[in-house]
Amino acid sequence: MTNPDAEEQTAGGALGKLAGKAKEAAGSLTGNDDLAREGRLQQAQSEAEADARREAEQARQREAKAGLVAEKTDTEIERERLQTEIAASDREESIEQQTQAAQRTAAEKAEHDKTLAGTQKRAREQAATQAEQRAETERLADAQTAVRLEQEARRAEARANAIDPEEQN
């Protein structure tokens, strides 16, 4: 039935295992040890192939899981990088807003100080003008008083001369 010199071709999988059991049983019943051994070998080979397929599938699943874990890690790293970038951008924007607010405040203060200085200058100029006007008014009043006193002195002298004409000389 079998040729020991020929290379054996065996079916794999469940069919190969079933064929191996049949060969082993037939070899045991007929006393053909070679056929029984070939059946046991075919069963072992079918089991080894099944184990190899299971292990290959498990390895593929572990590799896929490792790939997912690596992808998840890469995604998490990218997410953290983006969050850091967004936070840095937010900080830069906040600093820019604070800088602009400080510049606006400084410009408003400078404008206020300029307005205040102008107001104070006008007030000083007005006060000086009023002081000059008061001084001029007082000078005019003093001049009028001097004129009046001079007139009164002339009248008094004229009356005195009229009372005592001799003293005119």
Side-chain angles (χ1 to χ4, degrees):
M1 218 174 158
T2 62
N3 182 358
D5 294 333
E7 194 171 304
E8 294 182 14
Q9 295 250 339
T10 57
L15 190 58
K17 188 174 183 178
L18 184 62
K21 281 187 182 192
K23 284 181 185 179
E24 182 183 4
S28 292
L29 288 176
T30 60
N32 186 343
D33 289 336
D34 286 338
L35 186 58
R37 182 182 59 77
E38 184 180 328
R40 285 190 299 275
L41 286 173
Q42 190 169 358
Q43 288 179 59
Q45 182 180 3
S46 293
E47 289 174 3
E49 287 174 359
D51 288 345
R53 281 193 303 276
R54 272 193 306 279
E55 287 178 10
E57 179 61 22
Q58 289 173 349
R60 188 195 62 73
Q61 288 175 354
R62 282 191 302 270
E63 186 176 310
K65 185 176 180 181
L68 288 174
V69 168
E71 187 175 326
K72 182 179 177 183
T73 301
D74 290 346
T75 301
E76 182 64 22
I77 289 169
E78 179 65 11
R79 184 186 64 78
E80 289 175 4
R81 186 191 66 77
L82 289 173
Q83 284 179 331
T84 302
E85 191 175 302
I86 289 169
S89 176
D90 290 347
R91 280 191 304 275
E92 288 174 7
E93 185 177 327
S94 175
I95 289 168
E96 180 63 27
Q97 288 173 352
Q98 289 172 355
T99 301
Q100 288 175 357
Q103 289 172 343
R104 280 192 305 273
T105 301
E108 289 169 358
K109 184 176 181 337
E111 185 62 31
H112 176 264
D113 289 349
K114 182 179 176 183
T115 301
L116 181 60
T119 301
Q120 290 173 342
K121 180 181 177 186
R122 284 189 299 280
R124 284 191 305 270
E125 288 172 352
Q126 186 178 14
T129 300
Q130 288 174 352
E132 287 175 5
Q133 288 173 351
R134 276 194 307 276
E136 181 64 22
T137 301
E138 287 177 11
R139 189 188 65 74
L140 288 175
D142 288 345
Q144 285 177 350
T145 301
V147 168
R148 185 180 48 78
L149 288 175
E150 183 68 32
Q151 288 173 350
E152 285 178 13
R154 283 191 203 139
R155 280 194 297 267
E157 191 175 322
R159 273 194 312 267
N161 284 337
I163 295 174
D164 194 6
E166 286 187 13
E167 284 191 28
Q168 280 186 357
N169 293 1

